[in-house]
Amino acid sequence: MALVKSGWLWRQSSILRRWKRNWFVLYLDGSLVYYHDETQRDMDGRIHIKYSCRDVRAGRECRDVQPPEGKSRDCLLMVVLRDGSKTTLCAESEDDAVHWSCSKVSPSGAFSSPACPSPALSAWLQSRAAPALA
């Protein structure tokens, strides 16, 4: 299976809301798989982005979520699934969060790219660029 992106992300547990660092791999078929570590021996979970994802939120769109200690709110990502559940992630940096958002497979099955991000991500990118232009 072809790899699109891999790397460390923080994942918030669904029950206790604790942050845990996992190794994530996004495959071309739209599977976002997370493992205990980069050896990829012990799979902790899988999200079928292509079939299950309704939206991906970034940064300040992730309301009511506190990032892990020492991380900015702008590092947050939230995968909203069709069943209403959410998986909240936190990247190591703002740039990494943008890269993960742009690498994701959209619900339609097409890839979003940095040149053509989702509308929510476009608005977030514009809000981040506005202070630099002033």
Side-chain angles (χ1 to χ4, degrees):
M1 193 171 354
L3 175 100
V4 176
K5 179 163 176 55
S6 63
W8 291 104
L9 291 171
W10 292 89
R11 178 180 55 88
Q12 191 175 48
S13 67
S14 58
I15 298 171
L16 298 176
R17 300 287 187 218
R18 292 184 180 157
W19 288 99
K20 180 181 179 187
R21 196 165 181 243
N22 289 103
W23 180 258
F24 278 78
V25 180
L26 177 63
Y27 292 102
L28 190 59
D29 72 350
S31 297
L32 181 63
V33 182
Y34 49 100
Y35 300 91
H36 178 71
D37 59 32
E38 66 264 59
T39 64
Q40 300 180 24
R41 288 191 191 133
D42 299 321
M43 184 175 76
D44 283 350
R46 175 189 303 260
I47 302 170
H48 295 282
I49 301 286
K50 185 175 179 180
Y51 304 108
S52 304
C53 181
R54 187 179 66 192
D55 189 21
V56 175
R57 299 175 187 161
R60 308 238 178 245
E61 293 180 314
C62 302
R63 295 179 183 91
D64 301 324
V65 178
Q66 289 293 354
E69 188 174 331
K71 299 293 179 195
S72 164
R73 181 172 288 282
D74 293 322
C75 297
L76 292 173
L77 299 165
M78 184 180 291
V79 179
V80 182
L81 303 179
R82 294 184 192 279
D83 67 5
S85 65
K86 299 171 188 167
T87 300
T88 306
L89 308 170
C90 186
E92 294 295 327
S93 68
E94 293 177 42
D95 288 342
D96 200 28
V98 170
H99 194 259
W100 275 101
S101 294
C102 291
S103 298
K104 69 141 178 99
V105 179
S106 72
S108 67
F111 271 94
S112 295
S113 71
C116 185
S118 69
L121 182 59
S122 292
W124 182 74
L125 290 171
Q126 288 173 354
S127 74
R128 300 295 302 152
L133 298 174

